[in-house]
Amino acid sequence: SQANLPDTTILKGSDNFNTKLYTGNDAATHAITGVGFAPNFIWVKRRSHTSNHFLVDSVRGGTKYLPAESSDAETDDNTVTKSLDSDGFTIGSYDGINGDGKTFVSWNWKGGSTVTNDTGSVDSQVNANATAGFSVVTWTGTAGADTIGHGLGVAPELIFVKKRSASDNWLV
């Protein structure tokens, strides 16, 4: 019975997460709007053809992406993504994210403000939405047993880690 469940803190899930479908146009600048908030993390995948997954967040900057399907390092390329905006994001002409007539999906998460977090043994840059249980964190590792602040206030249930400066495997 639903009556046995605790009350939710999120009454409308699309206030914190939203899926946006779009069709590419091969233009040098293509604004994708209608997300409903300023996304702090986007995951874009072409639906109609084979292509990479593009992960972009506001902590690293709107032109930097990580390919989710490979161990490649971070890439800074404004022909892929240009910016994260108040109601979506802007992409460039790269075929894998804006191919003319090709269809795409973006999964968009809302964060908060990016701040320096000194909870832990290493300072981190954090953009957290504690209500939704989601944060993006970046830090410079020390090759030691570092602890990293994440801004959520509770232990995360799922963590993705990727070395950005060189090719290396994803850790989940």
Side-chain angles (χ1 to χ4, degrees), residues 13-36:
S14 62
D15 287 343
N16 295 284
F17 172 83
N18 205 350
T19 301
K20 179 71 179 167
L21 302 177
Y22 69 93
T23 301
N25 66 9
D26 201 31
T29 301
H30 184 182
I32 308 302
T33 60
V35 171

Side-chain angles (χ1 to χ4, degrees), residues 92-166:
S93 61
Y94 184 72
D95 187 68
I97 201 165
N98 192 21
D100 190 29
K102 295 174 178 141
T103 58
F104 299 84
V105 60
S106 68
W107 298 284
N108 306 273
W109 285 263
K110 180 181 180 182
S113 298
T114 300
V115 298
T116 299
N117 186 316
D118 60 5
T119 302
S121 62
V122 175
D123 286 356
S124 57
Q125 294 297 308
V126 176
N127 189 304
N129 180 338
T131 301
F134 177 79
S135 70
V136 175
V137 182
T138 185
W139 72 94
T140 301
T142 65
D146 298 331
T147 56
I148 312 300
H150 49 69
L152 295 177
V154 297
E157 293 184 26
L158 176 67
I159 300 171
F160 293 85
V161 178
K162 174 69 176 88
K163 184 176 186 177
R164 298 173 22 222
S165 60

Side-chain angles (χ1 to χ4, degrees), residues 2 4 27 33-34 40 62 66 79-81 110-111 127 148 156 159 169:
Q2 195 170 3
N4 295 328
T33 60
N40 296 97
L66 287 165
T79 67
V80 176
T81 55
K110 180 181 180 182
N127 189 304
I148 312 300
I159 300 171
N169 292 326

Side-chain angles (χ1 to χ4, degrees), residues 39-105:
N40 296 97
F41 178 75
I42 63 171
W43 184 323
V44 179
K45 175 69 177 113
R46 186 159 58 187
R47 300 169 63 216
S48 57
H49 298 77
T50 302
S51 185
N52 297 337
H53 296 248
F54 297 91
L55 308 180
V56 181
D57 65 81
S58 62
V59 177
R60 294 178 301 117
T63 63
K64 296 178 180 176
Y65 72 89
L66 287 165
E69 75 292 340
S70 77
S71 61
D72 291 352
E74 174 181 86
T75 300
D76 190 349
D77 184 350
N78 72 0
T79 67
V80 176
T81 55
K82 293 187 172 291
S83 61
L84 299 175
D85 307 324
S86 63
D87 187 32
F89 54 96
T90 300
I91 55 179
S93 61
Y94 184 72
D95 187 68
I97 201 165
N98 192 21
D100 190 29
K102 295 174 178 141
T103 58
F104 299 84
V105 60

